[in-house]
Amino acid sequence: MSTEFILKEISKTELADCVDVIKMSFETVELPLEDYGTLDTRRLIFESDNGNVMFGLFDDEKQIGFAELDKRENEAVLKKLCIIPQYRSEGNGKVLLDFVIKSAGELGYDNITANLRADDKGLEQWFLSRGFDFVETRYIPVIDRTITKLRAVLDMGVYR
């Protein structure tokens, strides 16, 4: 593997490749918060057209990670943060997370939230170890899941 990692915002023309990265990444995760089995390029284009910003992490030209920032009125919401399996446990998730957080700060947000499956304590600990704080755990009937909401407070894109 190369050490030439590139982080960038993804354009609409690159979203088809992102679908493959997301699906490949979540194949190894039991019951992700969202159902990615039906994810397609149209959905990512729709989310992009509605103001969400997409990010990619690349090893040279190969996309190895993806994250989405849902820009809401009062907070930025991190969605679909993922790294393909063979690039995990090398700090790549942290690199992508830091880039998305910095971007949220540059967009003027003073916090970023992440919603996780409440039973995924390993992922919750991963976020907590990276400066996020617990907000709440609640049941959402529409998706029939209990989620844990975490938040990182930012100061110009830097954790406080």
Side-chain angles (χ1 to χ4, degrees), residues 84-102:
I84 60 174
Q86 60 267 37
Y87 285 86
R88 292 183 187 153
S89 300
E90 299 174 6
N92 294 318
K94 181 186 181 316
V95 168
L96 183 54
L97 176 64
D98 289 347
F99 185 73
V100 174
I101 289 172
K102 181 177 183 249

Side-chain angles (χ1 to χ4, degrees), residues 3-155:
T3 57
E4 291 298 315
F5 290 100
I6 300 164
L7 289 154
K8 68 175 188 171
E9 189 173 323
I10 300 289
S11 69
K12 268 191 211 180
T13 60
E14 299 170 295
L15 290 177
D17 294 334
C18 296
V19 171
D20 294 335
V21 169
I22 295 165
K23 286 184 174 185
M24 188 183 327
S25 297
F26 285 105
E27 281 178 351
T28 61
V29 178
E30 184 180 339
L31 297 173
L33 186 58
E34 295 183 51
D35 176 14
Y36 296 114
T38 59
L39 181 72
D40 62 14
T41 307
R42 291 179 308 225
R43 180 166 153 201
L44 290 181
I45 290 172
F46 174 80
E47 291 171 354
S48 176
D49 286 346
N50 282 294
N52 292 7
V53 183
M54 317 294 177
F55 301 94
L57 176 62
F58 296 80
D59 182 1
D60 288 329
E61 294 185 20
K62 178 183 179 180
Q63 186 175 358
I64 65 165
F66 178 86
E68 181 176 342
L69 189 62
D70 185 346
K71 301 184 317 183
R72 301 198 180 163
E73 187 174 324
N74 297 321
E75 66 185 5
V77 179
L78 175 67
K79 298 172 71 175
K80 300 180 192 73
L81 177 71
C82 59
I83 301 292
I84 60 174
Q86 60 267 37
Y87 285 86
R88 292 183 187 153
S89 300
E90 299 174 6
N92 294 318
K94 181 186 181 316
V95 168
L96 183 54
L97 176 64
D98 289 347
F99 185 73
V100 174
I101 289 172
K102 181 177 183 249
S103 298
E106 289 171 351
L107 289 168
Y109 289 96
D110 59 7
N111 67 75
I112 184 170
T113 61
N115 296 310
L116 318 173
R117 285 187 356 258
D119 63 344
D120 194 339
K121 296 303 180 188
L123 186 58
E124 181 179 335
Q125 284 304 311
W126 186 83
F127 275 98
L128 292 172
S129 73
R130 279 151 185 83
F132 281 72
D133 294 312
F134 175 83
V135 175
E136 67 179 340
T137 296
R138 65 186 162 106
Y139 176 73
I140 302 177
V142 175
I143 61 172
D144 190 28
R145 292 212 174 105
T146 301
I147 63 128
T148 296
K149 183 175 185 175
L150 305 174
R151 176 178 292 124
V153 177
L154 312 176
D155 184 10

